[in-house]
Structures are given as C-alpha cells and as structure tokens.
Amino acid sequence: MKNDSQTFALFGNPVAQSLSPLMLGAAFREMKIDASYRALRVEDARDIPGKMEKMDIRGASITIPHKTGIMPYLDAVSDSAARIGAVNTVTRTDGGLQGDNTDWIGLVCALSEALEIKGKRFTVLGAGGAARAAVYGILHEGGIPTVVNRTTEKGQQVAKELGCDFHPLDQIQAVTGDCLINTTPVGMFPDTDASPVRADTLERFEWVMDTIYNPLETRLLKDAAGAGCQTISGATMFVHQGAQQIRIWTGLQPPTDLMKRVVLERLRDETD
Ligand code: ATR
C-alpha cells in the first residue's frame, strides 16, 4: 500500500526546546495535509542530507548550530541564503537539495506589521547569522540598517559585506535610528534579567524589536515599553519564518494566525 504521508523535520542541536514541531504540526493539521514534523538532533551538519534521503524527508528546518555548516552539502542555495551566509530551510527537489533562508522574510513580516520599513533607520545589535538576515531584509525593503556589535572586526565585516554602517556597541549612545533590533542572545532564557543595552538608550527609538522569543517579553522589551517605545516580539518573526517554510514546501498559504496563537499560548504557559 502506498503511503502518501509526507515527512518534514527539524535538524539542530539541541532541538528539544524548539517550538517548530508544535507550530508546524498544528499548521499541517489545519491545512489538512497528511504530514508529520519531527525534531531530530544531529551533531554534524554533513549527516543531514543522508538522513533526509533515508527517512524520505521532503523538507527540513535547520537550526543552531547547523545553519552555515549545512551549506556545502546542498545542491543549490537561494541568492538570499548565499548573501546572508545561512540556510534555515532545506527542500528535496528533483534537482537535489535546495537551501533557502526564511529568517529575513520572518523579520520583514514582523516589522511590517508594526511599521513601514522603507526609508526608516534600523540599529541592528549583533553580527551573527540573525543580524545578517536582519540587515539583508531591511536593505531588501528599502530601509537603512546600521550594525552595532561588541566585537568591532566581526561587525565591520558584516557591514562591509552587506553594505551598511557599523558602530561598536560601547558607542551606541552616539547612534540614532527609528527602530532598534536585538539579534544577540542576551536576555534569552534562562538569563532573563540581562539586556544588551542600558534602558536609557531606548527612548531615542520609536520601535524596539527582540528576535528572542523565550521569554516572550524580554528585559529589553520591558525596558522599551517603560521608555515609551512600541515593541515587537521575536515570536512574530518566528511564526513568519515558519509560515514561509510551509509556502516553500507546499506552495500553499499557511494559517499564520493559528500558528501565532499556538506559539503564544505555549510561551505564555511557560511564563505562568
Ligand atoms: P546567531 O548566528 O544566532 O545570530 P552568533 O553567530 O553566535 O548567533 O552571534 C551572536 C551575536 O551576539 C554576536 O555578534 C555576538 O557579539 P560578538 O561578535 O562580539 O561575539 C553577540 N553577543 C553575544 N553575547 C553578547 C553579549 N553578552 N553582549 C553583546 N553582544 C553579544
């Protein structure tokens, strides 16, 4: 008997904490797609293509620490993923394994719910893969990003490669902008008292976004609300990057509102 059920997976290390299985599983059910989505821990990115073949996995989400390491093992990589230097989505196609990056689209969708990106100035904290996705997305939409990073060399490198300004983190007081975006892990569970910047830095920004979604309201976002800024949660970006994965894999419109609801419910339960 032919089994038409499709298999999707998340590859990373660790994966136990990920909300992708909950969110994408709920989306497939709502879309009436006969599919399973499971989290698989892998230590070495080079093992991912073999596992996809063996387990007949049609599409995979790739998370920390394999977003860059997977790239040499793919048959094709989208222009955006190549420029960002990270792949978070792999699809098995007739032409082999295709790599994409949906983090930048997730960020653009999350920002666009709150403001018009075009012509606005964004201060991007950090210089890792998430920062590169943010800078790429902002430039793509006609915004003006500035990278601010603790380590000058790394920040300068990202700014030069993608085409924007750079300032060291210890000089952030000199940086102005419309929206501040944190892409560093500072403030992530369990270090929930930490913030990448002092609270008195924030009143200069009309909007403050965190790419961290656990906790839902980071210390940065609490400080930002206290300083009168509008805040944008990392959960919104997470939902939109997952929604884009579903579009790539199925060609169908995902139930974004439902995905957001299940993610927010779970994260709120965790803070209770
Ligand atoms: P990802 O690829 O997930 O974005 P990453 O490559 O580990 O993650 O990048 C994390 C970024 O957060 C880096 O730019 C890092 O700054 P450095 O380049 O100076 O290492 C930044 N970061 C991490 N911890 C930080 C801290 N305590 N204060 C300020 N920046 C920090």
Side-chain angles (χ1 to χ4, degrees):
M1 196 174 81
K2 190 163 172 277
N3 180 4
D4 286 332
S5 180
Q6 302 174 44
T7 307
F8 298 90
L10 165 74
F11 290 104
N13 187 16
V15 290
Q17 81 301 341
S18 173
L19 296 182
S20 290
L22 174 84
M23 177 174 80
L24 295 179
F28 286 135
R29 268 194 305 283
E30 175 76 10
M31 296 169 79
K32 307 235 180 320
I33 292 175
D34 183 9
S36 67
Y37 183 98
R38 49 200 292 203
L40 298 168
R41 191 175 68 83
V42 282
E43 298 208 343
D44 196 330
R46 83 178 69 182
D47 296 338
I48 295 172
K51 283 190 195 293
M52 287 186 72
E53 180 73 40
K54 199 166 146 216
M55 298 171 72
D56 196 19
I57 292 169
R58 196 177 152 158
S61 314
I62 309 294
T63 189
I64 289 167
H66 300 317
K67 287 188 183 185
T68 302
I70 185 68
M71 295 179 76
Y73 306 106
L74 301 175
D75 298 296
V77 166
S78 67
D79 287 349
S80 57
R83 263 188 86 71
I84 292 165
V87 158
N88 78 327
T89 311
V90 175
T91 312
R92 263 176 64 206
T93 68
D94 292 342
L97 293 179
Q98 160 80 31
D100 288 286
N101 186 304
T102 70
D103 285 331
W104 74 272
I105 297 177
L107 178 113
V108 162
C109 290
L111 285 175
S112 301
E113 284 184 11
L115 57 104
E116 191 186 336
I117 297 173
K118 194 166 184 213
K120 298 233 173 35
R121 292 173 307 144
F122 296 83
T123 303
V124 178
L125 297 179
R132 296 176 66 101
V135 170
Y136 178 89
I138 291 162
L139 286 170
H140 187 270
E141 300 301 307
I144 306 145
T146 296
V147 170
V148 171
N149 195 48
R150 179 179 60 180
T151 307
T152 297
E153 276 166 15
K154 202 169 159 191
Q156 267 174 341
Q157 179 69 23
V158 171
K160 194 173 137 211
E161 261 180 56
L162 292 172
C164 68
D165 281 347
F166 166 77
H167 289 275
L169 182 57
D170 58 15
Q171 288 168 31
I172 192 168
Q173 298 303 342
V175 180
T176 57
D178 299 299
C179 177
L180 179 96
I181 304 175
N182 175 44
T183 74
T184 79
V186 183
M188 196 183 280
F189 180 84
D191 258 337
T192 54
D193 272 346
S195 171
V197 291
R198 280 183 5 212
D200 64 8
T201 315
L202 299 172
E203 61 195 16
R204 284 176 284 136
F205 297 93
E206 190 168 346
W207 293 271
V208 174
M209 172 173 181
D210 211 327
T211 61
I212 294 170
Y213 60 85
N214 188 9
L216 205 44
E217 197 183 23
T218 56
R219 168 80 187 277
L220 174 71
L221 293 186
K222 282 184 191 155
D223 288 347
C229 314
Q230 296 190 54
T231 61
I232 305 165
S233 141
T236 317
M237 172 174 169
F238 176 69
V239 167
H240 285 295
Q241 65 75 33
Q244 183 64 17
Q245 293 186 320
I246 291 187
R247 282 188 205 100
I248 290 172
W249 293 332
T250 69
L252 301 171
Q253 275 309 322
T256 315
D257 289 345
L258 169 101
M259 292 163 71
K260 192 167 187 175
R261 206 162 61 236
V262 297
V263 166
L264 292 181
E265 270 169 19
R266 172 64 65 87
L267 290 168
R268 285 190 185 121
D269 282 351
E270 281 177 8
T271 45
D272 284 347

